[in-house]
Amino acid sequence: MSLYHELPKAELHLHLEGSVTPETMQELAPEASADEIRDRFRFCNFAGFLDCFKWVVERLRSAEGYALATRRLLEALARQNVSYAEVTLSAGVVLWKQQDFATIYDAVQREALQSPVQVQWNLDAIRHFGAEHAMQVAELAAERVGQGVVSFGIGGDEQRGPAGWFGDVYHFARAQGLRLTAHAGETAGPESVWDALLLGAERIGHGIRAAEDAELLRHLCSHDIPLEICISSNVATGAVRSLEAHPVRRLYDAGVPIVLNTDDPGLFSTTLEREYEIAANTFGFSESELRQIAANAFRYAFRAKTPA
């Protein structure tokens, strides 16, 4: 048994919709050929990734489809010795599709409650859809505090949805007992991370561009703010120019708390075990360092869990 499997693991940056593999896609959309699915899952930049993500979510047509995606994801996590996951559900996309969110949430939560993996949900708003949209998502999250939802965040296009729009939304979410995260510093520079911190984000999704700002690195260290690192994701979307150019080693060596994650494992053909393997084989992380990173995932979880 490999170290990467044996390690007790948690995942904190994981999108339900992006966990859909080509095989699960065939179950969700049997009318789509294997060739079409393969072509849709092939992309080389962030715009191509967004097109693929959109194609997938358009085929999550019912609560049953969301439940199937949840079941397949949690089966995959259990096989990898992942005991805890904070899964992002794009409530903003559900609203955009004009589907009934309550029905979909009830379906995915039923699946979660039947899994050996302990699941908490992060509800995600699409930042470039604006503040009113984000407030609708925050309200949905607030209604479900104590019923599986633990946090609120924003994703989407950093350039078209500046963090400054969302101050009131984050203030509301915090007041309702939600923990706070935000995608930042993925396709925009370190200033995007600073702006997310001003909102009150307790963890930063990606945050890799922080490596360009020494003051920001010191701030993340001194305030114990973790980055949710997703190596394969950043390579697949072109957020870094190559695997070797990824700053994960520099961030770690600077003392920034990091957690390894898959982001959208179905779309990026990865697993959490593979992310640990990449960290070891490409970036030279030792066994003791990987154990520390694995422990970080439990330490920085919004609903604190300890590995068995």
Coordinates of all heavy atoms in Angstrom, one line a residue, residues 162-200:
P162 N -14.7 41.6 -9.4 CA -13.8 42.0 -8.3 C -14.4 41.8 -6.9 O -15.6 42.0 -6.7 CB -13.6 43.5 -8.6 CG -14.7 43.9 -9.4 CD -15.1 42.7 -10.2
A163 N -13.5 41.4 -6.0 CA -13.9 41.1 -4.6 C -14.6 42.3 -3.9 O -15.5 42.1 -3.1 CB -12.7 40.6 -3.8
G164 N -14.2 43.5 -4.3 CA -14.8 44.6 -3.7 C -16.3 44.7 -3.8 O -17.0 45.4 -3.0
W165 N -16.9 44.0 -4.7 CA -18.4 44.0 -4.9 C -19.1 43.3 -3.7 O -20.3 43.5 -3.5 CB -18.8 43.2 -6.1 CG -18.5 43.9 -7.4 CD1 -18.0 45.2 -7.6 CD2 -18.7 43.3 -8.8 NE1 -17.8 45.4 -9.0 CE2 -18.3 44.3 -9.7 CE3 -19.2 42.1 -9.2 CZ2 -18.3 44.1 -11.1 CZ3 -19.2 41.9 -10.6 CH2 -18.8 42.9 -11.5
F166 N -18.4 42.5 -3.0 CA -19.0 41.5 -2.1 C -18.9 41.7 -0.6 O -19.2 40.8 0.2 CB -18.6 40.1 -2.5 CG -18.7 39.8 -3.9 CD1 -17.6 39.8 -4.8 CD2 -20.0 39.5 -4.5 CE1 -17.7 39.5 -6.1 CE2 -20.1 39.2 -5.8 CZ -19.0 39.2 -6.7
G167 N -18.5 42.9 -0.2 CA -18.3 43.2 1.2 C -19.6 42.9 2.0 O -19.5 42.3 3.0
D168 N -20.7 43.5 1.5 CA -22.0 43.3 2.3 C -22.4 41.8 2.3 O -22.9 41.3 3.3 CB -23.1 44.1 1.6 CG -22.9 45.6 1.9 OD1 -22.1 46.0 2.7 OD2 -23.6 46.4 1.1
V169 N -22.1 41.1 1.2 CA -22.5 39.7 1.2 C -21.7 38.9 2.2 O -22.2 38.1 2.9 CB -22.2 39.1 -0.2 CG1 -22.6 37.6 -0.3 CG2 -23.0 39.9 -1.3
Y170 N -20.4 39.1 2.3 CA -19.5 38.4 3.2 C -19.9 38.8 4.7 O -19.9 38.0 5.6 CB -18.1 38.7 2.9 CG -17.5 37.6 1.9 CD1 -17.9 37.6 0.6 CD2 -16.6 36.7 2.4 CE1 -17.4 36.7 -0.3 CE2 -16.1 35.7 1.5 CZ -16.5 35.7 0.2 OH -16.0 34.8 -0.7
H171 N -20.2 40.0 4.9 CA -20.6 40.5 6.2 C -21.9 39.7 6.6 O -22.0 39.2 7.8 CB -20.9 42.0 6.2 CG -21.3 42.5 7.6 ND1 -20.5 42.7 8.6 CD2 -22.6 42.8 8.0 CE1 -21.2 43.2 9.7 NE2 -22.5 43.2 9.3
F172 N -22.8 39.6 5.7 CA -24.1 38.9 6.0 C -23.8 37.4 6.3 O -24.3 36.8 7.3 CB -25.0 39.0 4.8 CG -26.2 38.0 4.9 CD1 -27.3 38.3 5.6 CD2 -26.1 36.8 4.2 CE1 -28.4 37.4 5.7 CE2 -27.2 35.9 4.2 CZ -28.3 36.2 5.0
A173 N -23.0 36.8 5.4 CA -22.7 35.4 5.6 C -22.0 35.1 7.0 O -22.3 34.1 7.7 CB -21.8 34.9 4.5
R174 N -21.0 35.9 7.3 CA -20.4 35.7 8.6 C -21.4 35.9 9.8 O -21.3 35.1 10.7 CB -19.2 36.8 8.8 CG -18.4 36.6 10.0 CD -17.4 37.7 10.3 NE -16.5 37.8 9.2 CZ -16.5 38.8 8.3 NH1 -17.4 39.8 8.4 NH2 -15.6 38.9 7.3
A175 N -22.2 36.8 9.7 CA -23.2 37.1 10.8 C -24.2 35.9 10.9 O -24.7 35.7 12.0 CB -24.0 38.4 10.5
Q176 N -24.3 35.1 9.8 CA -25.2 34.0 9.9 C -24.5 32.7 10.3 O -25.1 31.6 10.3 CB -25.9 33.7 8.5 CG -26.7 34.9 8.0 CD -27.8 35.2 8.9 OE1 -28.6 34.3 9.3 NE2 -28.0 36.5 9.2
G177 N -23.3 32.8 10.7 CA -22.5 31.7 11.2 C -21.8 30.8 10.2 O -21.3 29.7 10.4
L178 N -21.7 31.4 8.9 CA -21.0 30.7 7.9 C -19.5 31.0 7.9 O -19.1 32.1 8.2 CB -21.5 31.1 6.5 CG -23.0 30.6 6.2 CD1 -23.6 31.5 5.2 CD2 -22.9 29.1 5.8
R179 N -18.7 30.0 7.6 CA -17.2 30.2 7.4 C -17.0 30.7 6.0 O -17.9 30.5 5.1 CB -16.5 28.9 7.7 CG -16.8 28.3 9.0 CD -16.3 29.1 10.2 NE -14.9 29.3 10.3 CZ -14.0 28.5 10.8 NH1 -14.5 27.4 11.4 NH2 -12.7 28.8 10.8
L180 N -15.9 31.4 5.8 CA -15.7 32.1 4.5 C -14.5 31.7 3.8 O -13.4 31.6 4.3 CB -15.6 33.6 4.8 CG -16.8 34.2 5.6 CD1 -16.5 35.7 6.0 CD2 -18.1 34.1 4.8
T181 N -14.6 31.5 2.5 CA -13.5 31.2 1.6 C -13.7 32.0 0.3 O -14.8 32.6 0.1 CB -13.4 29.7 1.3 OG1 -12.2 29.4 0.5 CG2 -14.6 29.2 0.6
A182 N -12.7 32.0 -0.6 CA -12.8 32.7 -1.8 C -11.8 32.2 -2.8 O -10.6 32.0 -2.4 CB -12.7 34.2 -1.7
H183 N -12.1 32.0 -4.0 CA -11.1 31.7 -5.1 C -10.4 33.1 -5.3 O -11.1 34.1 -5.6 CB -11.8 31.3 -6.4 CG -12.4 29.9 -6.4 ND1 -13.3 29.5 -5.5 CD2 -12.1 28.8 -7.1 CE1 -13.6 28.2 -5.7 NE2 -12.8 27.8 -6.7
A184 N -9.1 33.0 -5.3 CA -8.4 34.3 -5.6 C -6.9 33.9 -5.9 O -6.4 32.9 -5.5 CB -8.4 35.2 -4.4
G185 N -6.3 34.7 -6.7 CA -4.9 34.5 -7.0 C -4.7 33.3 -7.9 O -3.6 32.7 -7.8
E186 N -5.7 32.9 -8.6 CA -5.6 31.8 -9.6 C -5.2 32.3 -11.0 O -4.2 32.0 -11.5 CB -6.9 31.0 -9.6 CG -6.9 29.8 -10.6 CD -8.2 29.2 -10.7 OE1 -9.2 29.7 -10.2 OE2 -8.3 28.1 -11.3
T187 N -6.1 33.2 -11.5 CA -5.8 33.8 -12.8 C -5.5 35.3 -12.7 O -5.2 35.9 -13.7 CB -7.0 33.5 -13.8 OG1 -8.2 34.1 -13.2 CG2 -7.2 32.0 -14.0
A188 N -5.7 35.8 -11.6 CA -5.4 37.2 -11.3 C -4.2 37.3 -10.3 O -3.9 36.3 -9.7 CB -6.6 38.0 -10.8
G189 N -3.6 38.4 -10.2 CA -2.4 38.6 -9.4 C -2.6 38.6 -7.9 O -3.7 38.4 -7.4
P190 N -1.5 38.9 -7.1 CA -1.6 38.9 -5.7 C -2.6 39.9 -5.1 O -3.1 39.7 -4.0 CB -0.2 39.2 -5.2 CG 0.5 39.7 -6.4 CD -0.2 39.1 -7.6
E191 N -2.9 40.9 -5.9 CA -3.9 41.9 -5.4 C -5.2 41.3 -5.2 O -6.0 41.7 -4.4 CB -3.9 43.1 -6.3 CG -4.5 42.8 -7.7 CD -3.6 42.1 -8.7 OE1 -2.4 42.0 -8.4 OE2 -4.0 41.8 -9.8
S192 N -5.5 40.2 -6.0 CA -6.8 39.5 -5.9 C -6.9 38.8 -4.5 O -7.9 38.7 -3.9 CB -7.0 38.6 -7.0 OG -8.2 37.9 -6.9
V193 N -5.7 38.3 -4.1 CA -5.7 37.6 -2.8 C -5.9 38.6 -1.7 O -6.7 38.4 -0.7 CB -4.4 36.8 -2.6 CG1 -4.3 36.2 -1.2 CG2 -4.2 35.8 -3.7
W194 N -5.2 39.8 -1.8 CA -5.4 40.8 -0.8 C -6.9 41.2 -0.7 O -7.4 41.4 0.4 CB -4.6 42.1 -1.1 CG -3.1 42.0 -0.8 CD1 -2.1 42.0 -1.7 CD2 -2.5 41.9 0.5 NE1 -0.9 42.0 -1.1 CE2 -1.1 41.9 0.3 CE3 -3.0 41.9 1.8 CZ2 -0.2 41.9 1.3 CZ3 -2.1 41.8 2.8 CH2 -0.7 41.8 2.6
D195 N -7.5 41.4 -1.8 CA -8.9 41.8 -1.8 C -9.8 40.7 -1.2 O -10.8 41.0 -0.4 CB -9.4 42.0 -3.2 CG -8.8 43.3 -3.8 OD1 -8.2 44.1 -3.1 OD2 -8.8 43.5 -5.1
A196 N -9.5 39.4 -1.4 CA -10.3 38.4 -0.8 C -10.1 38.4 0.8 O -11.0 38.1 1.5 CB -9.9 37.0 -1.3
L197 N -8.9 38.7 1.2 CA -8.6 38.8 2.6 C -9.4 39.9 3.3 O -9.9 39.8 4.4 CB -7.1 38.9 2.9 CG -6.3 37.7 2.5 CD1 -4.8 38.0 2.6 CD2 -6.6 36.5 3.3
L198 N -9.5 41.0 2.5 CA -10.3 42.2 3.0 C -11.7 41.8 3.2 O -12.4 42.3 4.1 CB -10.1 43.4 2.1 CG -8.8 44.1 2.1 CD1 -8.7 45.1 1.0 CD2 -8.5 44.7 3.5
L199 N -12.2 40.8 2.4 CA -13.6 40.4 2.6 C -13.8 39.6 3.9 O -14.9 39.4 4.3 CB -14.0 39.5 1.4 CG -14.3 40.2 0.1 CD1 -14.6 39.1 -1.0 CD2 -15.4 41.2 0.2
G200 N -12.7 39.0 4.4 CA -12.7 38.2 5.5 C -12.5 36.7 5.2 O -12.8 35.8 6.1

